[in-house]
Amino acid sequence: MKPTYVTIKNKYLEITFCNLGASIYRILFNGEDMLLTPKDKNDFEKGSVYQGKTIGRVCGRMVAKPFGAYNPQDNENGVSLHGGQDGLSTKVFNVNSGVNYVEFHYLSKDGEAGYPGNLILRVRYELVDNELTCSYHAIVDKPCLVALTNHAYFCLGEKILENLSLKMDSDQYITTNERLLIQGLEKIKPEWNFKSNCSFQTTGDIDNFFLLNKKQIELSSRKYVLKIVSNFEGTQLFTDHWLDNIPMFSSDKKIHRGVAIEPQDNQLERKELLPNHVYERYIKYTFEKL
């Protein structure tokens, strides 16, 4: 089934969504691109491209085999990354939309991508003024890990990562080994002191999870600020340091063009979702001019 694209807009924002991966394809604010998005939809629809897509059933990284009762597919040297090769980002969701919302639905069947149980998922995006809210609602019929997020890369009208800065209240981050498997919590490095609006000119490359003391994040460019509020415990940060050679709307560079901000719960304390319980999370994105 060929993916479907749906656009909603108001006087502040014009946002295009895609039912492949229940994703955000493009966000225009003041006529400028806020996301790092492939120009060619054929590039966006590749399984290896995660920009703006829903990631799960388990976002981030986990050892593919063994993992208790789980047998998730690996897609990177024995590691299940972003839900595996058959993860939610590769699935075509059912879609319905209205004037200010788009809603996606999907049934992930028992055993899909190596995860137990049937999972019924709803991903809803709602636009009110200059705010876009993404909400997740999921139920299962067997105990199963569920950890969802959106993998949007933000550029806020800039062509290079170094023109962005980040502010968030975090004292700890999760370290990884040479295979980027999660290890444990450590105190924030001095160069990652995001409490005082830290520029990406000084951070170096990042691919780590940060626990948040306050569940809010501010990303700034020279003209805009993005405020992110969620009910997740922290966020994964990924500076765009993987050379993909995919032409983007916002930049003609091939690397260091933006940053992925992926709110999610503590990767060291993931909990199974049980039958008769509901997984509910939200991410609110607010775009403002400086």
Side-chain angles (χ1 to χ4, degrees):
M1 182 186 303
K2 188 169 179 59
T4 298
Y5 292 81
V6 178
T7 298
I8 60 175
K9 61 183 178 180
N10 59 20
K11 66 179 182 179
Y12 300 98
L13 291 159
E14 180 177 332
I15 307 176
T16 300
F17 303 89
C18 180
N19 66 339
L20 176 65
S23 56
I24 310 170
Y25 176 64
R26 197 176 185 189
I27 297 178
L28 294 175
F29 179 59
N30 197 35
E32 294 195 73
D33 279 289
M34 298 293 102
L35 298 184
L36 193 64
T37 300
K39 286 183 179 180
D40 190 331
K41 289 179 179 177
N42 290 323
D43 285 330
F44 179 75
E45 293 166 13
K46 292 177 181 177
S48 58
V49 172
Y50 297 103
Q51 276 100 336
K53 293 175 182 173
T54 298
I55 304 299
R57 296 185 189 187
V58 178
C59 58
R61 295 172 181 265
M62 59 189 291
V63 178
K65 299 175 184 178
F67 192 85
Y70 299 87
N71 187 29
Q73 296 177 349
D74 80 75
N75 58 347
E76 190 173 280
N77 299 320
V79 179
S80 177
L81 175 65
H82 301 149
Q85 292 178 343
D86 203 25
L88 293 173
S89 64
T90 68
K91 302 303 177 184
V92 175
F93 286 60
N94 293 322
V95 58
N96 61 74
S97 61
V99 174
N100 73 324
Y101 76 90
V102 177
E103 195 168 274
F104 299 99
H105 297 264
Y106 183 71
L107 168 62
S108 178
K109 294 184 179 180
D110 190 3
E112 184 176 271
Y115 296 101
N118 295 296
L119 178 142
I120 300 174
L121 173 61
R122 181 187 72 214
V123 182
R124 179 182 173 91
Y125 297 97
E126 185 169 355
L127 177 61
V128 177
D129 295 331
N130 60 332
E131 295 181 345
L132 173 67
T133 300
C134 170
S135 58
Y136 303 98
H137 181 282
I139 58 174
V140 294
D141 60 5
K142 291 181 182 179
C144 182
L145 285 177
V146 177
L148 307 173
T149 192
N150 187 282
H151 203 305
Y153 286 69
F154 296 95
C155 62
L156 302 190
E158 300 288 353
K159 296 183 180 298
I160 58 173
L161 174 65
E162 289 77 11
N163 286 338
L164 300 176
S165 59
L166 188 73
K167 184 178 181 180
M168 64 183 186
D169 188 353
S170 177
D171 296 307
Q172 295 176 298
Y173 76 104
I174 292 179
T175 59
T176 57
N177 64 14
E178 66 280 358
R179 292 175 62 199
L180 296 180
L181 296 176
I182 58 177
Q183 300 293 291
L185 282 172
E186 283 194 10
K187 186 178 178 180
I188 290 286
K189 300 176 181 180
E191 62 267 33
W192 291 353
N193 181 12
F194 293 106
K195 292 186 177 182
S196 56
N197 207 30
C198 181
S199 170
F200 284 104
Q201 290 180 343
T202 61
T203 62
D205 292 334
I206 303 172
D207 186 4
N208 295 88
F209 175 87
F210 295 79
L211 280 177
L212 295 175
N213 299 319
K214 296 179 181 177
K215 298 176 182 179
Q216 55 192 39
I217 300 167
E218 287 190 13
L219 180 70
S220 300
S221 68
R222 294 173 296 178
K223 294 190 287 184
Y224 305 108
V225 61
L226 167 63
K227 297 179 180 179
I228 301 175
V229 177
S230 79
N231 60 347
F232 287 101
E233 296 170 325
T235 188
Q236 182 81 14
L237 294 182
F238 179 79
T239 52
D240 174 41
H241 57 268
W242 184 261
L243 188 64
D244 57 25
N245 292 314
I246 296 176
M248 301 288 170
F249 281 112
S250 57
S251 178
D252 54 6
K253 289 191 65 180
K254 296 182 178 180
I255 197 170
H256 291 154
R257 301 156 295 187
V259 58
I261 302 176
E262 310 161 53
Q264 54 189 268
D265 288 324
N266 188 343
Q267 295 178 353
L268 294 172
E269 298 180 0
R270 287 169 170 160
K271 299 177 178 66
E272 287 186 321
L273 179 65
L274 302 176
N276 302 317
H277 289 67
V278 179
Y279 177 95
E280 290 185 303
R281 299 289 189 276
Y282 73 87
I283 308 169
K284 180 180 288 187
Y285 307 97
T286 304
F287 296 88
E288 298 176 355
K289 294 181 185 179
L290 288 174

